[in-house]
Amino acid sequence: MTELSSLPDEALLDRLQRGAFGYFVQNMNPRNGLVADTSRDNSPVSIAVVGFALSSYPVAVARGWMERADAVQRSLAALRFFRDSDQSGSPTATGFKGFYYHFLDIHTGARVWMSELSMIDTALLIAGVLTASLYFTADTPDEAELRELADVLYRRIDWRWAQGDGGTIKQGWKPESGFLHYGWEGYSEAIVLYVLALGSPTHPIKGNCYTAWTATYQWENLYDHDYLYAGPLFVHQFSHAWIDLRGIRDSFMREKDFDYFENSRSAVAIQRRYTQLNPHEFTGYDENGWGLSAGDGPTDEQPDVFNEERRLFGYAARGVPYGPDDGTLSPSAVLASLPFAPERVLEAMRNLLTRYPQMLTDDRLASSFNPTVGAGAEQPWVSAGHYGLDQGIVLMMIENHRSQFIWQLTRRCRYISDGLRRAGFEGGWLRQGHPGERTDVAI
């Protein structure tokens, strides 16, 4: 671990990025292309993790980690599965109206855990589907089929249905009870959801749906930073994994003379200031010990939690500065902030890798760790196994920092650019006639 943390920046990032990619190779069912939510035994599939996997294969090919033919077959297996999946919306189906249940059985693809038909997780899946179609453009039968399947899967989603009778997109639907009784309120990772829903050539959302969502935003001043509030770091990262939001602004951000990329930079600064102040006096919190986000965490029932009287939250979306906060940090949330504040992120990662080597196995970051409730400062509580969402966001955001490869791909996607424009985004690379960047080069 000492050797890893002392590597030059590029070598360190290459090791961590390739380690993250290994998750998708090791936790995929080759029969259907589905990828497990976690590396723990009997884990179901998370459809969002499949989206991250589909986005990771082009990076792996371009970097020489995977043969192109292998990546195409893995991608085709997943796309064929979703095309042929049960879309009846029954309690044991795979999906409905082009959307998919959040968690699926890795062998049959049927719904598990009575999970909801998830609009945001479907959007993350489809973002990965489109990314694969933008990279695999060779004039071969397999790659032509991949592109055709990607278009079919995107076009059949009924985004308009997902509005229900409300002004914004619903968060989910269950066959037992219909739409969940809440929509998207406040800033969240849903920019990619709304962009895809607006860009649809078949069933786009109607009315002022996007504006209705941004009307629920919460603008705050925290630690002398004016910014669009969201507590957990993942909110400030997920849409950026696919969409280059640098220098483009919707109506809300034009009014604030700001943009979403700069907002994420502010989120990093606010996280660092919060942990530096450390209002709850947790172990390990300082300017290089931060990373509050969604992820696994200790609970009072776990045998490896010692002498902790405060409430522990288990799997939760931890945030700054209003909580919840139980001393649990996400190293992947730190690393996925790389495009926004590379120097600060690398300082923090080297610090965390040196102080808490237990959080890394096979060059792969644990979902979270908590030195306050472990066996001591040198033996923190560490989440068991690995989570696909963590590995996916790490891989993609390292790549966006290193080469902008994913951003360059998705700039070429007509559906995404159309969706951004319909949401009111202007400027930057969206300017009319802005030339697309070539992506058919090695990275």
Side-chain angles (χ1 to χ4, degrees), residues 430-443:
L430 270 177
R431 288 192 301 269
Q432 190 68 30
H434 183 82
E437 298 185 54
R438 293 181 64 84
T439 59
D440 55 346
V441 294
I443 56 177

Side-chain angles (χ1 to χ4, degrees), residues 84 87 113 144 160 200 266 316 318 336 379 397 421:
D84 299 335
Q87 280 280 302
W113 292 352
R160 189 169 298 175
S200 172
S266 295
R318 296 164 177 84
Q379 292 293 326
M397 294 301 264
R421 291 189 177 97

Side-chain angles (χ1 to χ4, degrees), residues 42-353:
N42 302 314
S43 172
V45 170
S46 159
I47 59 169
V49 170
V50 181
F52 277 109
L54 290 166
S55 302
S56 77
Y57 300 145
V59 175
V61 172
R63 290 207 169 271
W65 302 339
M66 175 177 277
E67 293 296 325
R68 187 182 186 100
D70 186 13
V72 169
Q73 291 308 312
R74 289 170 182 268
S75 302
L76 275 176
L79 270 58
R80 288 166 178 161
F81 166 78
F82 284 111
R83 177 198 60 192
D84 299 335
S85 64
D86 181 349
Q87 280 280 302
S88 68
S90 76
T92 57
T94 297
F96 186 52
K97 298 283 187 178
F99 295 94
Y100 306 97
Y101 291 115
H102 193 163
F103 296 108
L104 307 174
D105 183 276
I106 197 165
H107 303 292
T108 67
R111 175 198 190 205
V112 297
W113 292 352
M114 292 189 68
S115 58
E116 82 285 8
L117 195 79
S118 176
M119 284 56 174
I120 183 60
D121 291 282
T122 297
L124 298 177
L125 167 63
I126 293 299
V129 168
L130 294 175
T131 301
S133 72
L134 291 162
Y135 181 75
F136 294 113
T137 57
D139 185 17
T140 65
D142 282 346
E143 296 194 22
E145 181 188 358
L146 188 155
R147 295 190 297 274
E148 180 182 350
L149 287 174
D151 213 47
V152 166
L153 294 175
Y154 177 61
R155 286 172 173 264
R156 81 176 180 185
I157 301 172
D158 194 342
W159 306 99
R160 189 169 298 175
W161 169 81
Q163 285 182 257
D165 56 0
T168 60
I169 298 175
K170 299 293 187 181
Q171 285 205 9
W173 175 92
K174 289 191 173 186
E176 296 85 3
S177 54
F179 286 115
L180 304 184
H181 297 300
Y182 44 86
W184 291 97
E185 293 186 0
Y187 179 49
S188 71
E189 69 278 19
I191 288 178
V192 66
L193 165 64
Y194 277 92
V195 166
L196 291 174
L198 284 163
S200 172
T202 50
H203 309 289
I205 47 178
K206 59 185 177 181
N208 297 318
C209 192
Y210 182 79
T211 304
W213 175 51
T214 60
T216 68
Y217 281 2
Q218 185 175 338
W219 185 258
E220 295 204 10
N221 181 281
L222 294 173
Y223 310 125
D224 297 324
H225 291 272
D226 290 320
Y227 99 126
L228 175 55
Y229 170 75
L233 270 174
F234 84 95
V235 168
H236 300 280
Q237 298 167 346
F238 271 33
S239 288
H240 295 263
W242 285 279
I243 304 175
D244 184 0
L245 290 164
R246 296 172 299 170
I248 63 173
R249 300 175 176 181
D250 59 8
S251 176
F252 181 91
M253 283 299 183
R254 285 195 296 276
E255 181 181 328
K256 301 297 184 183
D257 193 24
F258 213 40
D259 67 42
Y260 290 99
F261 187 86
E262 290 300 320
N263 197 71
S264 294
R265 289 172 58 88
S266 295
V268 170
I270 289 166
Q271 284 254 341
R272 294 180 72 248
R273 184 56 178 156
Y274 172 84
T275 51
Q276 187 178 37
L277 293 171
N278 195 8
H280 303 294
E281 300 182 346
F282 289 122
T283 302
Y285 277 31
D286 55 39
E287 64 181 3
N288 286 320
W290 48 277
L292 281 80
S293 193
D296 196 19
T299 68
D300 294 315
E301 292 74 29
Q302 290 173 303
D304 53 349
V305 171
F306 298 90
N307 303 319
E308 177 55 33
E309 297 179 357
R310 288 171 283 200
R311 182 182 174 191
L312 300 171
F313 299 106
Y315 195 100
R318 296 164 177 84
V320 168
Y322 307 122
D325 184 8
D326 59 4
T328 302
L329 297 177
S330 166
S332 61
V334 176
L335 192 50
S337 300
L338 191 64
F340 311 123
E343 291 184 5
R344 299 302 192 191
V345 167
L346 286 166
E347 288 172 358
M349 284 308 304
R350 293 184 188 282
N351 169 63
L352 296 175
L353 288 168

